[in-house]
Amino acid sequence: MSAETDCADKADLLAHDPPLFSPAEAAELAQHLYGVVGSIRPLAAEKDANFLITLSSGEEALLKITNAVEDRAVTDMQTAALMHLAATDPSLPVQRICASLAGNASEIVTAANGQSHVVRLMSFLGGTILSSAAPGAGLHHELGAFLARVTLGLRGFFHPAAGHVLQWDIKQAASLRPMLDAVQDTSLRTRLMTILDRFDAEIAPRLPRLRAQVVHNDFNPHNVLINSPTGTHPIGLIDFGDIVHTPIACDLAIACSYQIGEGASALSHICEMVTGYAGKLPLEREEVALLPDLIRLRHATTLAIGASRARRYPENASYILRNAAACLRGMDALDHIGDATTIEALHAAARTE
């Protein structure tokens, strides 16, 4: 195996099996490290081993055993970010880190195969996953306000690993080029290449002028919990695995990319989100003007990474490419409406002067 391939393997956690712990072993860890006893069941996860623990009181907690390949500094940053949010916005509905019996935010354990893993106990958030719900009145406005609140809560937070290179970070779009060979549709490959050409020539040079900080970076419908199947407001945000230091406009663009509709009202939901966001965290004109391009770049990132992984793991291709159709619809909608009209609508939504 070449050094380049080995590096790629380490960067792609999906190339490595989740930690091998049975429910009985996880229960033993919970009791030994945290003094927690209760019924335990595994939860589905791509790269980690997650277990839901229900105490006799009915209270629930999440035991997370992290993939051995994940950079320890990045894992520590995720933990530190959650602890920072607990201090800056105590009522913000994100998971809370529970201290171990030794008083630590995390512990290290060794599996039967000799691999060592970071273990954390967190509060468990319940609710309806946004991806399986229907939007109720005012939901998108509240989603925007919620994301702004998370961003404000993280303002001032930094960590030595915050600048790590993450392919899902929009500012890293240039490095998607080698993945385009895996895109089988020739016209789509050309379209993505055009988006990356524009990024290199016109977007990347403007990003250093934007406000930047550590952000959640993955405000997608699978990570947001809302109050009911026809929800009116968010009640939780999970999975801080993609946090990184990047322009806050990139973070907002990621959130908007999942909410583009179709037809005449294709922009309505993202405009509502922008209004809610700007009501708590006012946006600058340059940030708003870049949103259409940044949204396209998120779609391009999803399509390029998806194609590359699907070629590498063909047996799992249908799952890996599950968001491809939505990305294409989003790009088509933006292209049909046009950037000038989209930017004008977003400026009105953000109330930028």
Side-chain angles (χ1 to χ4, degrees), residues 65-217:
I65 306 174
T66 302
N67 196 298
V69 182
E70 183 169 280
D71 186 335
R72 291 280 176 84
V74 173
T75 305
D76 181 71
M77 175 177 63
Q78 298 163 12
T79 303
L82 287 170
M83 295 173 71
H84 180 85
L85 286 172
T88 58
D89 192 346
S91 64
L92 188 69
V94 297
Q95 290 169 300
R96 302 300 183 208
I97 299 295
C98 305
S100 69
L101 293 175
N104 300 320
S106 64
E107 296 287 351
I108 306 296
V109 299
T110 302
N113 61 3
Q115 290 187 324
S116 61
H117 302 270
V118 176
V119 177
R120 290 165 292 177
L121 187 70
M122 308 176 181
S123 59
F124 181 79
L125 298 180
T128 300
I129 299 175
L130 177 58
S131 61
S132 62
L139 175 63
H140 290 90
H141 179 281
E142 294 305 308
L143 288 174
F146 183 38
L147 178 60
R149 188 176 166 191
V150 174
T151 303
L152 287 169
L154 287 170
R155 187 166 60 180
F157 171 76
F158 197 74
H159 187 278
H164 76 114
V165 176
L166 178 71
Q167 186 61 79
W168 288 101
D169 179 4
I170 289 176
K171 73 174 186 286
Q172 305 294 342
S175 59
L176 293 170
R177 286 187 184 277
M179 300 181 187
L180 297 186
D181 288 342
V183 178
Q184 297 181 359
D185 186 296
T186 303
S187 62
L188 176 59
R189 190 186 318 125
T190 301
R191 188 178 184 184
L192 296 178
M193 196 170 296
T194 300
I195 291 173
L196 296 186
D197 288 342
R198 176 168 168 77
F199 172 79
D200 289 342
E202 300 184 41
I203 307 305
R206 296 162 70 180
L207 295 184
R209 300 199 296 265
L210 304 183
R211 294 177 295 174
Q213 65 169 75
V214 174
V215 296
H216 182 268
N217 198 52

Side-chain angles (χ1 to χ4, degrees), residues 4-328:
E4 181 180 355
T5 302
D6 182 58
C7 181
D9 279 347
K10 290 181 178 179
D12 185 359
L13 293 178
L14 296 182
H16 301 268
D17 292 332
L20 299 175
F21 286 83
S22 68
E25 291 170 325
E28 184 178 350
L29 286 177
Q31 183 175 8
H32 175 68
L33 297 175
Y34 293 94
V36 171
V37 177
S39 63
I40 188 166
R41 67 179 177 89
L43 300 176
E46 289 183 327
K47 59 186 179 67
D48 301 327
N50 296 331
F51 296 89
L52 176 63
I53 304 173
T54 303
L55 284 63
S56 58
S57 64
E59 187 178 1
E60 295 177 320
L62 178 72
L63 185 75
K64 177 178 283 290
I65 306 174
T66 302
N67 196 298
V69 182
E70 183 169 280
D71 186 335
R72 291 280 176 84
V74 173
T75 305
D76 181 71
M77 175 177 63
Q78 298 163 12
T79 303
L82 287 170
M83 295 173 71
H84 180 85
L85 286 172
T88 58
D89 192 346
S91 64
L92 188 69
V94 297
Q95 290 169 300
R96 302 300 183 208
I97 299 295
C98 305
S100 69
L101 293 175
N104 300 320
S106 64
E107 296 287 351
I108 306 296
V109 299
T110 302
N113 61 3
Q115 290 187 324
S116 61
H117 302 270
V118 176
V119 177
R120 290 165 292 177
L121 187 70
M122 308 176 181
S123 59
F124 181 79
L125 298 180
T128 300
I129 299 175
L130 177 58
S131 61
S132 62
L139 175 63
H140 290 90
H141 179 281
E142 294 305 308
L143 288 174
F146 183 38
L147 178 60
R149 188 176 166 191
V150 174
T151 303
L152 287 169
L154 287 170
R155 187 166 60 180
F157 171 76
F158 197 74
H159 187 278
H164 76 114
V165 176
L166 178 71
Q167 186 61 79
W168 288 101
D169 179 4
I170 289 176
K171 73 174 186 286
Q172 305 294 342
S175 59
L176 293 170
R177 286 187 184 277
M179 300 181 187
L180 297 186
D181 288 342
V183 178
Q184 297 181 359
D185 186 296
T186 303
S187 62
L188 176 59
R189 190 186 318 125
T190 301
R191 188 178 184 184
L192 296 178
M193 196 170 296
T194 300
I195 291 173
L196 296 186
D197 288 342
R198 176 168 168 77
F199 172 79
D200 289 342
E202 300 184 41
I203 307 305
R206 296 162 70 180
L207 295 184
R209 300 199 296 265
L210 304 183
R211 294 177 295 174
Q213 65 169 75
V214 174
V215 296
H216 182 268
N217 198 52
D218 195 16
F219 198 86
N220 79 67
H222 295 281
N223 290 337
V224 179
L225 302 171
I226 60 175
N227 61 314
S228 71
T230 305
T232 56
H233 61 274
I235 59 172
L237 177 64
I238 60 174
D239 195 349
F240 278 66
D242 281 357
I243 62 172
V244 71
H245 189 279
T246 202
I248 65 173
C250 292
D251 188 47
L252 177 58
I254 289 170
C256 290
S257 71
Y258 293 93
Q259 303 300 333
I260 298 175
E262 297 182 77
S265 60
L267 298 179
S268 62
H269 288 167
I270 66 171
C271 284
E272 290 172 29
M273 285 185 66
V274 167
T275 298
Y277 187 97
K280 288 192 175 294
L281 178 51
L283 289 161
E284 298 177 355
R285 288 192 64 82
E286 180 80 347
E287 292 168 333
V288 174
L290 281 172
L291 279 177
D293 280 300
L294 296 177
I295 291 171
R296 281 195 193 88
L297 285 161
R298 174 62 174 197
H299 290 320
T301 299
T302 300
L303 291 167
I305 292 177
S308 177
R309 285 182 170 172
R311 182 168 66 177
R312 192 173 185 186
Y313 314 114
E315 72 283 356
N316 203 26
S318 60
Y319 174 77
I320 292 171
L321 298 174
R322 65 194 184 280
N323 292 321
C327 289
L328 292 172

